[in-house]
Amino acid sequence: MTKHSGAEHTVKSVVCWIITVSDTRDESTDTSGKLIRERLESAGHRVALYRIIKNDPAQITEMVEQLKTDTHVQVAIFHGGTGISRKDQTARTLRRLYDEELDGFGELFRVLSYREIGPYALLSRASAGIINKKLVFSLPGSEHAVRLALEKLILPVLGHAVQQL
């Protein structure tokens, strides 16, 4: 089977937002947010906004409303709040706001996670979707999960996905 590269239909530099969803993190302790910024920028993409918000549906929804009106941003990466506890609000909030969900992202993320952490991977509600022609990712908050999602799934297809939208 031949891999599809999509390189001939790719946006070289994507404008991104990073939104950390956490009730405990601040800029000095948000190692996952720093990792996302480093990986995006080293791949030639631009981070136009970095923000830490509370694990609260109203704050998550407000960020999405701002995202919809920003004509420059093409991708938003939310991280944190994707577990199954009652306090984890990111996954359930974003799923209600997606115009369309990209089912394959969550499925592949959990397969890759399973290979590394075993059955605990099924507890992740990582997802991706489209909101107002913008690509939105919802990742777990752990640095390990962020690295896995970026390296194996997001960065390899980011420019192509944005070009398609």
Side-chain angles (χ1 to χ4, degrees):
M1 188 162 118
T2 305
K3 286 186 179 181
H4 172 61
S5 75
E8 64 280 3
H9 304 289
T10 298
V11 174
K12 300 292 183 214
S13 182
V14 174
V15 179
C16 303
W17 281 11
I18 302 168
I19 301 103
T20 302
V21 181
S22 175
D23 294 333
T24 59
R25 301 253 186 239
D26 60 31
E27 284 195 41
S28 68
T29 59
D30 184 18
T31 58
S32 295
K34 289 176 187 164
L35 176 66
I36 295 169
R37 177 184 290 276
E38 290 168 5
R39 295 296 162 97
L40 286 171
E41 289 176 345
S42 69
H45 304 298
R46 187 169 75 82
V47 176
L49 178 126
Y50 163 73
R51 185 153 308 146
I52 299 174
I53 62 173
K54 297 291 183 195
N55 202 337
D56 172 68
Q59 288 192 30
I60 296 165
T61 301
E62 174 58 29
M63 287 305 305
V64 169
E65 291 305 314
Q66 291 177 35
L67 175 72
K68 287 179 177 180
T69 62
D70 187 317
T71 58
H72 301 291
V73 68
Q74 298 159 302
V75 172
I77 300 175
F78 287 78
H79 66 102
T82 62
I84 62 170
S85 77
R86 291 181 62 88
K87 70 179 174 91
D88 291 321
Q89 295 296 317
T90 308
R92 67 177 52 100
T93 302
L94 287 177
R95 279 206 168 103
R96 285 195 315 267
L97 299 172
Y98 289 151
D99 297 330
E100 188 173 352
E101 188 164 358
L102 302 175
D103 299 320
F105 176 82
E107 294 164 357
L108 286 170
F109 178 80
R110 282 179 282 283
V111 167
L112 293 170
S113 293
Y114 178 79
R115 292 177 183 162
E116 295 189 11
I117 65 171
Y120 288 96
L122 73 90
L123 302 178
S124 172
R125 293 183 297 157
S127 68
I130 300 165
I131 298 175
N132 199 31
K133 298 182 182 175
K134 299 167 194 296
L135 196 53
V136 178
F137 294 96
S138 176
L139 309 179
S142 82
E143 196 172 331
H144 182 77
V146 163
R147 181 177 288 108
L148 176 70
L150 285 168
E151 291 177 2
K152 300 289 186 182
L153 299 172
I154 297 172
L155 289 174
V157 302
L158 193 60
H160 181 72
V162 167
Q163 187 277 332
Q164 293 293 299
L165 288 174

